[in-house]
Amino acid sequence: MTPDRWKQIEAIFHSALEREPGERSAFIATACAGDESLRSEVEPLVAASEREGDFLDSPAYEIAAEWIANSDADMLIGGQVNHYKILAQLGSGGMGEVYLAQDTKLGRKIALKLLPVSFTNDRARLQRFRQEARAASALNHPNIVTIHEIGEQNGSHFITTELVEGETLRERISGKQMKLAEAIDIVAQVASALSATHAAGIIHRDIKPENIMVREDGIIKVLDFGLAKLAFPQPEAVDTQAATRSMVKTNPGMVMGTVQYMSPEQARGQEVDARSDIWSLGVVLYEMVAGRVPFNGETPSHVLVSLMESEPPPLGRYTEAPAELERIVSKTLQKKRDERYQTARDLALDLRALNQASEVEARLRGSPGYLVSEGELAAEIRSGSAVESHRPDPKTSDVTPPRATSSPEYMVNRGVWHKRVVAPAAAAIVLAAVAYFIYFASSGGYSARGKNTIQSIAILPFRSQTGEVKEDFLGLGITNGIITRVSQTRALTVRPTSAILKYGNPAIDALQAARELEVDAVIEGTYLRIGDQLRVTVNLIRVEDGALLWTDNFYKHSTDIFAIQDQVSQEVAQRLQLKLSPSQLTKRNTSNPEAYNYYVKAMYHSSNIGPYLHSRTESDLAVDLFKKAIELDANYALAHAQLGYAYTKIAVFQEDNPALIEQARHELGIAERLDPQLAEVHAARYFIAFSQYDGWRVSSAIQELRMAQQLDPNVGHPELGDLYMHIGLDKQAVAEYELALKVDPNNETIKNAVVGLYFVTARPDEVLEASKRLFNRGPDYNYYMEKRMLKEAAPLVEQEYQKNPNSFESWDAIRIRGLWPALQGKHQEAQAAIPPILEKIRRNRGYHHVTYDIARIYALGGRSEEALKWLRITVTEGFPCYPLFARDSFLDPIRNETAFIQFMSEMKNLWEGYQTEFG
């Protein structure tokens, strides 16, 4: 249908309404004389208007843009808009022309949409569009297309989005009925996207198959958020005499499909809300299942009258649809908004419940048309085989049924079973379902079974929806609290806060972060703070297929961070079928939100205190923030413990200061009195025990870490592995590092520690294997030195020396300046390098490795007395590693010396004692 045709319809329609009702039929007959098609268009509109009011005068009837000719599209190919090079045309429609383009700045392909001038010449209308598009771009949801930029060039407005590879739902449907499970899954994903946007105050207004993309992996992307507002202006901004102008699709002569997806309130020009999108999505679902739209007609006029007055034909007329699906579709298509689903989230929950119930039914049947007898089923249940064989496939079902559908009663009461199942067979199915759910609940659900189940999870830093970059740790505070609570269940592996800190950047994709963290599921969240109000949005995503398992919104005062933590933790635990005890929710280290905020900031800076950070900026800031938290809450046990830990790390790594150790002991004592169950207290005390300040008391340090792990099994594994390595318990060391990597597999510090385990114990082949496995790195100069491959080592040693030729303050200095010449037989040069290095090197946690290499230098030169002296210093300084001394070929020149034999006998006895105590 062309624009001219609609102008003709509109003119006759308005003229008819200006006459008395009794005169209208005669007028229409005269005005449409000789054109029965025109008469059939006008009469239904007039009749509906008499019943419904002047709905045609309303702005919502302006469904899309004026007709846009695309004859100039080819001229743009090869050209450039801003920094986007146009490669090809992807499509066109009422919303504008869409092109494949190359972002020349970032080197990525994107979708670029040029907006029609008719959309953008109204400045107020354009401003509203920009506001809503920006709001949509702030959403971070797996089922919403990402908006990159909204821009203008030479008066032409454009919008760029991620390029979604796949096909539109319109192309997927292509006039055919879809499989029930596929249709439900698609609509559930769209409903999840709408739930997030509605929570942000955004209404799409144009849900239809053309605006839904289906990726090859089955992930759904909803398009054109924000553009709908541009196409559907607010009532006060509309020329009501132009109501029918935009009933035209892209090409002349074709009726625009959008009218078939309009809600009744849209057709009447009333204010739309979230429930209008739900209606449109219901139409999409009906069309996918039935193979046709629920409201149709020969003309747009007939369609409008149908959707406002008629009930859609039942799905059963076109397909064998479950009764529950009939109920869901019927509820989405209620004429009165109050009788529809009130939220898209409720619709998504019902759809996922239906899909899961259908899967269970299919598995219980074994194959289409097959039903076991009640007796057979009872026997299977007794043997356990029925439950085992009928368990849902994690690849196609959510982690756990939603709360409203977590019992077999839901399936019975809602009638989701196929309507052809006879009563005895239905009873048998329900019996099996009951058995399955009992087994499922008692065994902990999906938390620990099967390669596709959820056994590990990462909770990413929650991000501000405003996108403002400022020092606001509210999101990290929410995340930290949830991690603490969920990890306490000990039912699955939770990545620690230290592992997720680097994923706070909004540009980082949640699924990519999850894959790097090697988890089965990921939680991402956003928060919006307006005055004293706080809204937190949470998404739980399965990593394997990107499926959104759960999404929800929480509303609190901005000071109720603890309530948010508790609520989200409870929901996550429920979705993953974890048992979160009331004590785990009620126990808090502080009830002061401001003190907690200082603590979270302090922990962020404290995590940067280590052996390779020589600046005091981070450590001083961490100490100051911990103190502020304690000033606000003197009974904040965890803040006292972490302040003590910070003092210890500063004293060990940055400043020789015994007074700091005393301060640390004082803070740890306060923390323990306030809360004897803090693992952090024992973790900090290990650090003091195994240091120069406490005489390197290895056994005490190990005992402290073991006590810490009794309170929290996820802490202390790399530290304990390091201790075991230093005393020669290699098997135990490897086991601890493996546990550490299970908790945090992407932690480079832990990976380096694994490599270091073999390096410091003189096992170069194991070093190379671990380097390749963990870092994809080849041999370095240390490898060649340990293997005595001097020719290969030479250029690498020189290269390392040139990086910092004046350095005497690191472990590398003793290896390059002392050990390297000793291997070449330049013993005098090697031994001469020792004194200046000892003058510069600090007596910290790495000191015993320097002293051990000094012993090796003297041993290679045949000076057994000096070598033995430095070996004893090495032991005294915390490195009594008998297996290393026994295997190290660099010590071979002195191995037959009587004094060395006596030393090795002492070391063996000590090592055997360690094995007895800690083996």
Side-chain angles (χ1 to χ4, degrees):
M1 182 176 295
T2 65
D4 289 341
R5 180 68 164 181
W6 267 107
K7 288 181 180 179
Q8 185 179 11
I9 293 171
E10 180 186 17
I12 298 173
F13 170 80
H14 286 295
S15 296
L17 292 184
E18 291 173 357
R19 287 163 169 75
E20 293 297 324
E23 302 174 356
R24 290 172 182 172
S25 295
F27 169 77
I28 293 172
T30 302
C32 299
D35 192 339
E36 288 302 313
S37 174
L38 178 61
R39 183 172 179 173
S40 69
E41 294 275 9
V42 175
E43 282 184 336
L45 290 176
V46 172
S49 179
E50 290 174 348
R51 292 187 298 271
E52 301 286 344
D54 293 335
F55 66 90
L56 192 57
D57 281 340
S58 64
Y61 195 60
E62 187 172 299
I63 303 170
E66 301 160 52
W67 175 71
I68 305 169
N70 58 8
S71 58
D72 295 331
D74 292 340
M75 298 175 62
L76 292 174
I77 308 301
Q80 192 152 318
V81 175
N82 207 329
H83 57 278
Y84 303 104
K85 184 176 181 180
I86 307 296
L87 303 179
Q89 186 177 18
L90 296 176
S92 61
M95 296 293 190
E97 309 290 335
V98 185
Y99 296 91
L100 171 65
Q102 181 80 16
D103 186 333
T104 57
K105 286 186 177 180
L106 299 179
R108 63 182 175 184
K109 290 181 179 178
I110 54 92
L112 182 144
K113 178 167 289 190
L114 293 176
L115 305 180
V117 174
S118 59
F119 278 13
T120 58
N121 57 14
D122 183 330
R123 299 183 67 178
R125 189 177 178 187
L126 181 61
Q127 180 60 27
R128 284 193 300 271
F129 156 69
R130 286 172 174 162
Q131 290 172 351
E132 185 151 338
R134 286 194 186 99
S137 68
L139 293 169
N140 184 13
H141 192 282
N143 299 124
I144 299 174
V145 70
T146 302
I147 296 174
H148 294 320
E149 182 182 0
I150 307 157
E152 178 183 1
Q153 179 174 294
N154 299 327
S156 296
H157 292 78
F158 65 87
I159 183 170
T160 64
T161 70
E162 66 172 305
L163 181 65
V164 182
E165 301 285 355
E167 59 183 344
T168 66
L169 182 56
R170 173 63 65 207
E171 294 167 328
R172 175 67 66 92
I173 296 174
S174 188
K176 304 188 298 288
Q177 292 176 317
M178 295 183 70
K179 291 182 179 179
L180 182 63
E182 182 183 15
I184 293 173
D185 179 63
I186 288 172
V187 175
Q189 290 188 58
V190 176
S192 178
L194 290 177
S195 178
T197 56
H198 293 165
I202 302 169
I203 312 302
H204 192 286
R205 302 177 181 82
D206 198 21
I207 293 295
K208 58 184 178 182
E210 288 79 2
N211 282 336
I212 299 170
M213 287 290 293
V214 185
R215 291 192 338 195
E216 292 181 359
D217 58 6
I219 301 299
I220 300 303
K221 292 283 186 177
V222 182
L223 312 179
D224 281 351
F225 280 98
L227 284 177
K229 193 161 194 171
L230 189 62
F232 293 94
Q234 298 295 317
E236 63 271 19
V238 177
D239 173 11
T240 57
Q241 297 303 312
T244 57
R245 286 191 310 214
S246 48
M247 286 292 292
V248 184
K249 203 177 179 181
T250 303
N251 298 317
M254 296 179 65
V255 176
M256 186 173 183
T258 307
V259 66
Q260 295 173 323
Y261 304 92
M262 292 175 63
S263 65
E265 59 268 20
Q266 275 180 292
R268 297 187 181 97
Q270 297 170 351
E271 188 72 26
V272 299
D273 59 20
R275 294 168 294 182
S276 297
D277 283 347
I278 292 171
W279 168 285
S280 300
L281 187 53
V283 175
V284 172
L285 175 57
Y286 186 104
E287 182 178 7
M288 285 193 287
V289 175
R292 50 157 289 156
V293 291
F295 306 103
N296 215 337
E298 296 178 2
T299 69
S301 306
H302 290 93
V303 174
L304 286 171
V305 173
S306 174
L307 69 89
M308 286 189 295
E309 297 185 354
S310 304
E311 293 299 323
L315 284 173
R317 181 180 299 179
Y318 309 106
T319 184
E320 294 180 350
E324 173 66 358
L325 181 60
E326 289 272 19
R327 183 196 69 81
I328 291 172
V329 171
S330 175
K331 191 170 181 178
T332 63
L333 298 179
Q334 291 298 308
K335 309 292 186 189
K336 296 179 180 180
R337 280 184 274 192
D338 290 342
E339 296 176 2
R340 281 179 224 156
Y341 282 99
Q342 298 301 290
T343 69
R345 177 176 178 270
D346 290 341
L347 171 59
L349 288 175
D350 275 4
L351 288 169
R352 292 193 185 281
L354 172 59
N355 230 0
Q356 192 168 49
S358 300
E359 289 163 7
V360 173
E361 178 188 9
R363 291 177 185 278
L364 291 171
R365 290 177 174 181
S367 61
Y370 172 76
L371 291 173
V372 298
S373 71
E374 188 171 350
E376 291 172 320
L377 205 59
E380 286 189 33
I381 292 170
R382 284 195 297 271
S383 67
S385 59
V387 170
E388 193 65 34
S389 62
H390 301 321
R391 190 175 298 152
D393 186 349
K395 286 185 177 181
T396 55
S397 62
D398 283 349
V399 174
T400 174
R403 284 171 295 177
T405 59
S406 59
S407 68
E409 286 80 11
Y410 176 93
M411 293 182 287
V412 176
N413 294 338
R414 293 285 185 90
V416 300
W417 305 119
H418 198 289
K419 54 190 175 186
R420 292 189 304 173
V421 177
V422 295
I429 292 171
V430 172
L431 178 60
V434 171
Y436 156 69
F437 275 104
I438 291 174
Y439 178 85
F440 188 89
S442 64
S443 60
Y446 288 92
S447 62
R449 292 196 304 277
K451 66 177 183 178
N452 296 318
T453 58
I454 290 179
Q455 297 176 308
S456 58
I457 191 169
I459 304 166
L460 303 183
F462 282 40
R463 303 160 180 171
S464 171
Q465 280 191 338
T466 63
E468 296 180 14
V469 180
K470 61 180 181 178
E471 191 180 15
D472 188 344
F473 287 75
L474 175 61
L476 183 57
I478 295 171
T479 303
N480 181 68
I482 299 169
I483 289 173
T484 301
R485 285 160 173 76
V486 176
S487 62
Q488 286 172 346
T489 65
R490 304 188 183 185
L492 78 169
T493 301
V494 183
R495 295 291 175 256
T497 302
S498 58
I500 54 89
L501 286 174
K502 66 179 181 179
Y503 297 106
N505 187 337
I508 297 176
D509 178 71
L511 280 176
Q512 179 59 35
R515 293 185 183 106
E516 290 179 8
L517 290 165
E518 299 179 22
V519 291
D520 302 320
V522 62
I523 289 177
E524 62 170 358
T526 59
Y527 65 93
L528 181 64
R529 183 160 51 183
I530 303 174
D532 64 348
Q533 297 299 309
L534 180 68
R535 186 190 72 216
V536 176
T537 300
V538 185
N539 299 316
L540 172 63
I541 305 168
R542 185 168 54 210
V543 177
E544 181 188 34
D545 55 5
L548 182 66
L549 304 180
W550 164 62
T551 184
D552 209 341
N553 292 287
F554 302 89
Y555 299 87
K556 291 289 180 182
H557 289 287
S558 59
T559 56
D560 288 348
I561 183 173
F562 305 117
I564 290 290
Q565 290 172 345
D566 285 350
Q567 279 189 279
V568 176
S569 300
Q570 284 177 312
E571 287 286 352
V572 172
Q574 182 174 346
R575 299 292 160 174
L576 299 179
Q577 293 207 342
L578 308 175
K579 294 182 179 180
L580 200 61
S581 67
S583 62
Q584 289 169 334
L585 291 173
T586 56
K587 180 181 177 180
R588 296 195 180 104
N589 283 284
T590 183
S591 57
N592 187 316
E594 190 176 356
Y596 180 71
N597 191 42
Y598 279 126
Y599 172 82
V600 173
K601 292 180 183 180
M603 286 300 297
Y604 176 83
H605 295 291
S606 179
S607 67
N608 293 321
I609 306 175
Y612 308 109
L613 184 65
H614 301 293
S615 169
R616 287 291 297 273
T617 303
E618 291 286 308
S619 52
D620 289 345
L621 184 55
V623 167
D624 183 58
L625 290 167
F626 281 132
K627 287 181 176 179
K628 287 182 177 178
I630 292 169
E631 287 173 6
L632 290 167
D633 184 354
N635 294 322
Y636 199 164
L638 197 54
H640 284 288
Q642 293 293 357
L643 177 57
Y645 207 165
Y647 280 142
T648 304
K649 289 193 286 186
I650 294 169
V652 169
F653 293 125
Q654 298 176 349
E655 177 185 330
D656 291 320
N657 189 343
L660 286 175
I661 296 298
E662 293 308 310
Q663 288 179 271
R665 294 185 198 274
H666 175 70
E667 293 296 334
L668 295 173
I670 295 173
E672 189 172 41
R673 286 195 300 273
L674 291 170
D675 186 353
Q677 301 300 309
L678 281 181
E680 290 79 1
V681 170
H682 298 288
R685 283 181 175 158
Y686 130 78
F687 212 86
I688 295 175
F690 192 63
S691 77
Q692 66 270 32
Y693 298 102
D694 210 16
W696 305 97
R697 295 187 299 119
V698 175
S699 294
S700 295
I702 292 175
Q703 293 293 353
E704 291 289 353
L705 284 176
R706 286 186 164 187
M707 284 189 283
Q709 289 181 348
Q710 288 176 5
L711 296 169
D712 184 348
N714 290 330
V715 305
H717 294 298
E719 292 84 358
L720 193 51
D722 183 65
L723 281 177
Y724 286 142
M725 177 269 291
H726 277 80
I727 62 176
L729 299 183
D730 294 345
K731 182 179 179 180
Q732 292 89 331
V734 170
E736 288 298 323
Y737 284 131
E738 287 177 351
L739 287 171
L741 286 174
K742 181 180 179 182
V743 173
D744 190 359
N746 204 34
N747 189 313
E748 291 203 0
T749 300
I750 299 174
K751 290 180 180 180
N752 277 315
V754 174
V755 176
L757 163 68
Y758 303 112
F759 171 55
V760 301
T761 54
R763 287 181 281 178
D765 291 330
E766 287 91 337
V767 169
L768 184 59
E769 187 279 327
S771 294
K772 287 181 177 179
R773 173 168 51 90
L774 298 174
F775 295 105
N776 196 28
R777 290 198 305 237
D780 61 4
Y781 79 90
N782 283 305
Y783 171 80
Y784 290 124
M785 282 174 59
E786 295 293 331
K787 296 283 285 186
R788 300 198 186 202
M789 300 169 66
L790 304 187
K791 182 179 179 181
E792 291 82 357
L796 298 177
V797 171
E798 178 62 25
Q799 191 178 62
E800 193 69 24
Y801 175 80
Q802 292 301 328
K803 289 180 181 178
N804 198 348
N806 299 316
S807 173
F808 290 87
E809 300 175 359
S810 68
W811 186 6
D812 288 329
I814 195 67
R815 298 183 66 79
I816 293 172
R817 295 175 182 275
L819 196 58
W820 172 242
L823 288 170
Q824 296 174 297
K826 302 175 182 178
H827 301 297
Q828 187 174 357
E829 176 187 337
Q831 293 163 20
I834 294 173
I837 291 175
L838 286 175
E839 287 180 10
K840 298 287 186 180
I841 205 76
R842 289 185 67 242
R843 187 171 172 262
N844 60 16
R845 288 171 78 87
Y847 184 68
H848 47 238
H849 297 298
V850 175
T851 62
Y852 181 67
D853 273 340
I854 291 174
R856 299 172 93 192
I857 292 168
Y858 283 118
L860 288 167
R863 297 182 61 180
S864 61
E865 187 176 342
E866 287 296 321
L868 196 56
K869 167 192 167 183
W870 285 101
L871 281 173
R872 291 192 178 279
I873 291 174
T874 298
V875 171
T876 303
E877 293 289 333
F879 194 19
C881 190
Y882 168 74
L884 168 63
F885 305 155
R887 80 165 64 92
D888 190 356
S889 64
F890 287 18
L891 300 180
D892 286 352
I894 66 169
R895 199 167 293 281
N896 294 325
E897 297 287 339
T898 302
F900 184 79
I901 293 172
Q902 177 61 36
F903 168 76
M904 290 298 289
S905 177
E906 295 170 12
M907 289 299 100
K908 184 178 181 181
N909 288 336
L910 181 62
W911 178 67
E912 289 174 345
Y914 287 141
Q915 282 188 312
T916 301
E917 186 177 5
F918 304 117

